[in-house]
Amino acid sequence: MNANNMLSVKEIIQQTAKSCETLSQTMDTFEKHLGEWAKEKNTTFKTLEQSQIHNFQVASEQINNLKQQYEETNQRRMVLEEKTKQEFEAEERLQQELKLQQEYERTLPDQGQILSSELEEIKKQVEIISEKLRILENEKQRKINEESQILQFYEYYLGLTFQRVNEEGNWLLVNFLGIGSFKVKIENNIYSVSNCVPAIPFDDLIENLNQTNNFQRFVILMRQRFVNKNRKY
């Protein structure tokens, strides 16, 4: 009876050892597959991250180009407004001259024919100036529409928007859709940041920005920190 019991215990130990060996092999296989899966996901994530960084850099360059184009267009607009003002003033002077000529024509009947010819010429000049003003106004509106469409393109496809916020100072709201946002302003050639959501450290970036005035790089680094912050969650 005791021998049978001992044999039974031995068999149990052997079966247990075999089960442990099978379990160990299963765990090794699982660990191998898990490692391969993690490696594949890490590679995919790095590729996606590099692609996003590249796309953002390209978008930032295009936005800077757009900003430069906007500034140039705005400068041309100011020149155009000044020119338009001068031409309007010239038109008013022409109108005054026209009135004077009409009065002069009434007081000097003998010179009526000559004055009529001069008046017709003045009218033609007024019409030419008016047409030029209309063309310039249409061109200005076309430029504004084109720039608005480009800004809407970057907002829709890249999720990056800039918005003026006039509250307690002239702030610029920079928003990365689904990632984060912050406000930035420059006063006396000094940049400052507020309302950073989610909260990230940026004191070193602001210090570097004030030293280099490289706003494009500052925006890229802020986005990277937002991405890193979201990745932790």
Side-chain angles (χ1 to χ4, degrees):
M1 187 65 176
N2 291 335
N4 291 335
N5 290 337
M6 290 297 293
L7 182 60
S8 177
V9 170
K10 183 177 180 180
E11 290 176 348
I12 292 172
I13 292 173
Q14 290 176 346
Q15 291 176 357
T16 302
K18 185 175 181 181
S19 296
C20 289
E21 182 179 356
T22 301
L23 179 60
S24 177
Q25 293 175 352
T26 301
M27 290 297 293
D28 290 342
T29 301
F30 174 76
E31 184 177 357
K32 179 180 179 181
H33 290 324
L34 180 61
E36 293 175 350
W37 178 84
K39 182 178 180 181
E40 180 182 355
K41 292 300 180 181
N42 187 51
T43 300
T44 301
F45 177 78
K46 287 182 177 180
T47 301
L48 179 59
E49 182 182 25
Q50 291 175 354
S51 177
Q52 290 178 341
I53 291 174
H54 173 72
N55 291 337
F56 180 76
Q57 290 174 342
V58 171
S60 296
E61 292 176 358
Q62 293 175 340
I63 288 172
N64 282 337
N65 291 335
L66 179 61
K67 181 180 178 182
Q68 182 178 357
Q69 292 175 7
Y70 174 79
E71 291 175 351
E72 292 174 354
T73 302
N74 189 54
Q75 184 65 29
R76 290 196 298 271
R77 178 187 62 80
M78 293 174 63
V79 173
L80 175 62
E81 288 179 350
E82 181 62 26
K83 184 177 180 181
T84 302
K85 179 181 177 182
Q86 294 175 358
E87 290 181 343
F88 273 125
E89 291 174 351
E91 184 178 0
E92 289 180 355
R93 289 194 297 270
L94 288 173
Q95 293 289 349
Q96 290 294 331
E97 291 176 3
L98 178 60
K99 290 180 180 179
L100 291 174
Q101 290 290 349
Q102 290 173 341
E103 184 65 27
Y104 182 71
E105 183 179 2
R106 287 194 297 268
T107 58
L108 298 174
D110 295 339
Q111 299 184 7
Q113 186 64 36
I114 298 175
L115 290 175
S116 296
S117 298
E118 291 177 351
L119 288 174
E120 286 298 322
E121 184 64 27
I122 291 174
K123 289 179 180 179
K124 290 179 181 179
Q125 292 297 324
V126 170
E127 290 175 357
I128 291 173
I129 292 174
S130 299
E131 181 64 16
K132 288 182 179 179
L133 291 175
R134 185 188 65 79
I135 293 173
L136 289 173
E137 183 64 25
N138 291 340
E139 179 65 16
K140 181 181 73 174
Q141 188 61 43
R142 185 183 68 81
K143 290 289 185 181
I144 292 174
N145 292 339
E146 287 178 355
E147 292 172 358
S148 297
Q149 290 175 358
I150 293 174
L151 287 174
Q152 290 173 0
F153 171 84
Y154 287 117
E155 178 179 354
Y156 182 80
Y157 288 100
L158 301 178
L160 174 61
T161 61
F162 296 91
Q163 180 181 353
R164 288 289 181 187
V165 181
N166 295 318
E167 53 182 30
E168 298 180 357
N170 194 17
W171 291 88
L172 178 66
L173 175 62
V174 182
N175 182 37
F176 303 103
L177 183 61
I179 299 178
S181 64
F182 63 94
K183 293 179 182 177
V184 61
K185 75 173 181 178
I186 180 170
E187 189 173 19
N188 298 325
N189 294 324
I190 300 297
Y191 287 92
S192 58
V193 169
S194 70
N195 297 92
C196 187
V197 180
I200 58 173
F202 55 78
D203 290 343
D204 57 327
L205 301 184
I206 281 292
E207 181 179 356
N208 182 264
L209 174 61
N210 284 314
Q211 292 174 354
T212 64
N213 200 32
N214 191 338
F215 188 74
Q216 175 184 348
R217 175 174 173 78
F218 171 73
V219 173
I220 292 174
L221 294 177
M222 286 291 287
R223 184 182 186 279
Q224 289 177 352
R225 292 200 177 179
F226 279 132
V227 171
N228 293 336
K229 178 78 173 181
N230 293 329
R231 191 181 302 160
K232 291 179 181 181
Y233 295 104

